[in-house]
């Protein structure tokens, strides 16, 4: 078993934060180059992931007691962790989503199963939008946004190497050929992702427009490879041949850390109710917030090869 897999499958003990060297520290993630297949090998299976997810759910209900809630100056570190780690999780979700869309288009696998899996991945990404955008405006404008400009004066989310295969879906241009039983649910989740994106922009950005929205109309469709490399560098993302099992291990490792964070701090540790915009207080968004941890662990099980019906049954 690789050290990364062992770390992903280990359960945190009381008083021990097991991601990075200290609470809310960062780790790089290694993913395949976009469009390249996974390497062979790996040793993390559905049973392993299920065991960890179930134990983490129990710990979350009882209280992890892993780290103290972030307050004062430690809030900046917490939100920086959420910004980087939440995006790393999103990159994996995009990759899983792109793989499922490609199999669906090629007529591979069970259409109903793949269609429901696609909907689950979009749901998980909605949760990550809430998570990465949970900081307050002061931290976003004082720390996060300037950090992007330090790398490039026009830094934008359109440079994300893993996003092009799923761009059309999230922009709502065309519903993929999912099973009829899943079409409405998928459309609702895609619309929810847009609603959350707009709500986060309203919460963080003066004028209510995100950096991505501000620049996408000005950006040529031809993207120099350098931009993708700059984007990966910022989000501590390495590109190399890696197996699907190793990707699942890295995903689960981050999801464990997110679960511990949310158990200690909640989603909005620094915001009062009046600071959350109306778009993020709608019932469907609140339901997504409540489902955030469970949705991530469903995706972890899917990434490890567990069928969706068992992934759902294993959740709380």
């Amino acid at each position: 078993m690789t050290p990364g897999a062992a770390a992903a499958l280990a359960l945190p003990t009381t008083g021990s934060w097991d991601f990075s060297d200290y609470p809310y520290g960062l780790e790089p993630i290694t993913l395949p180059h976009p469009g390249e297949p996974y390497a062979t090998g790996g040793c993390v299976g559905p049973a392993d992931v299920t065991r960890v997810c179930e134990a983490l759910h129990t710990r979350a209900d009882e209280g992890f007691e892993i780290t103290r809630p972030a307050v004062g100056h430690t809030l900046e570190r917490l939100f920086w962790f959420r910004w980087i780690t939440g995006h790393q999780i999103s990159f994996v979700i995009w990759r899983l989503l792109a793989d499922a869309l490609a199999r669906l288009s090629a007529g591979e696998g069970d259409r109903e199963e793949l269609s429901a899996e696609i909907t689950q991945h979009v749901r998980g990404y909605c949760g990550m939008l809430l998570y990465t955008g949970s900081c307050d405006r002061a931290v976003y404008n004082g720390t996060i946004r300037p950090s992007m400009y330090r790398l490039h004066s026009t830094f934008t989310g359109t440079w994300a190497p893993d996003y092009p295969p799923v761009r059309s879906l999230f922009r709502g241009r065309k519903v993929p050929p999912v099973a009829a039983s899943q079409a409405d649910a998928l459309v609702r989740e895609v619309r929810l992702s847009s609603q959350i994106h707009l709500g986060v922009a309203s919460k963080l950005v003066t004028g209510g427009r995100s950096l991505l929205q501000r620049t996408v109309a000005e950006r040529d469709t031809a993207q120099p490879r350098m931009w993708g490399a700059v984007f990966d560098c910022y989000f501590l993302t390495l590109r190399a041949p890696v197996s699907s099992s190793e990707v699942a291990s890295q995903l689960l490792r981050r999801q464990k850390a997110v679960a511990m964070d949310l158990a200690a701090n909640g989603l909005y540790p620094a915001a009062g109710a009046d600071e959350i915009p109306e778009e993020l207080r709608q019932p469907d968004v609140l339901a997504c917030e409540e489902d955030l941890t469970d949705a991530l662990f469903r995706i972890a099980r899917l990434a490890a090869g567990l069928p969706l019906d068992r992934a759902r049954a294993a959740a709380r």
Side-chain angles (χ1 to χ4, degrees):
M1 181 178 292
T2 66
L9 297 176
L11 291 174
T13 57
T14 299
S16 174
W17 172 271
D18 70 345
F19 186 86
S20 187
D21 293 330
Y22 49 81
Y24 316 126
L26 302 176
E27 291 186 3
I29 190 170
T30 303
L31 299 176
H33 286 281
E36 290 189 0
Y38 295 109
T40 57
C43 54
V44 175
D48 297 317
V49 173
T50 296
R51 174 180 61 82
V52 174
C53 291
E54 289 176 348
L56 285 169
H57 279 315
T58 300
R59 296 278 181 88
D61 287 338
E62 296 174 350
F64 278 104
E65 299 181 357
I66 295 297
T67 184
R68 294 178 181 177
V71 295
H73 69 278
T74 59
L75 280 169
E76 182 175 316
R77 179 191 295 172
L78 169 67
F79 289 134
W80 183 245
F81 164 82
R82 290 185 176 189
W83 183 253
I84 299 298
T85 304
H87 273 86
Q88 290 176 343
I89 293 173
S90 295
F91 303 158
V92 178
I93 292 175
W94 291 344
R95 173 87 189 200
L96 296 171
L97 180 56
D99 291 344
L101 288 168
R103 295 198 305 272
L104 182 71
S105 296
E108 301 173 359
D110 182 89
R111 188 173 175 224
E112 288 279 349
E113 177 83 8
L114 276 173
S115 300
E117 182 178 324
I118 288 166
T119 303
Q120 288 297 318
H121 289 322
V122 176
R123 177 70 165 193
Y125 178 57
C126 288
M128 279 298 95
L129 285 173
L130 287 171
Y131 186 72
T132 57
S134 59
C135 64
D136 58 28
R137 182 172 288 192
V139 170
Y140 180 77
N141 289 290
T143 299
I144 292 176
R145 197 161 187 176
S147 71
M148 293 185 281
Y149 285 127
R150 289 190 190 104
L151 275 185
H152 198 288
S153 62
T154 60
F155 192 97
T156 166
T158 62
W159 294 356
D162 301 291
Y163 189 65
V166 298
R167 179 188 292 122
S168 179
L169 173 64
F170 282 113
R171 291 187 181 174
R173 291 176 175 172
K174 183 179 180 181
V175 179
V178 295
S181 61
Q182 283 295 315
D184 288 344
L186 178 57
V187 169
R188 284 196 301 271
E189 295 299 334
V190 169
R191 287 176 178 169
L192 179 61
S193 72
S194 178
Q195 178 183 344
I196 292 173
H197 190 107
L198 291 172
V200 169
S202 175
K203 173 174 170 283
L204 298 180
V205 182
T206 303
R209 298 181 64 199
S210 74
L211 189 62
L212 172 61
Q213 291 171 311
R214 191 182 301 273
T215 59
V216 69
E218 306 163 6
R219 186 70 52 194
D220 190 275
T221 55
Q223 177 172 306
R225 188 169 184 175
M226 181 199 74
W227 291 347
V230 169
F231 192 89
D232 278 348
C233 179
Y234 177 82
F235 286 109
L236 301 182
T237 303
L238 310 176
R239 299 290 173 173
V242 62
S243 70
S244 59
S245 178
E246 290 171 296
V247 171
S249 296
Q250 294 178 94
L251 175 66
L252 179 59
R253 182 160 169 74
R254 283 155 179 79
Q255 290 170 335
K256 286 167 55 182
V258 168
M260 287 186 278
D261 163 22
L262 291 173
N265 299 293
L267 185 59
Y268 297 116
D274 58 337
E275 298 177 53
I276 309 302
E278 187 66 26
E279 298 96 323
L280 299 183
R281 287 187 276 126
Q282 297 302 309
D284 51 352
V285 177
L286 295 177
C288 182
E289 177 182 330
E290 181 69 22
D291 187 45
L292 200 161
T293 300
D294 283 345
L296 286 180
F297 285 135
R298 287 196 297 271
I299 290 174
R301 295 183 178 99
L302 290 172
L306 199 69
L308 181 59
D309 60 343
R310 291 179 58 197
R312 284 171 168 161
R316 282 184 295 182

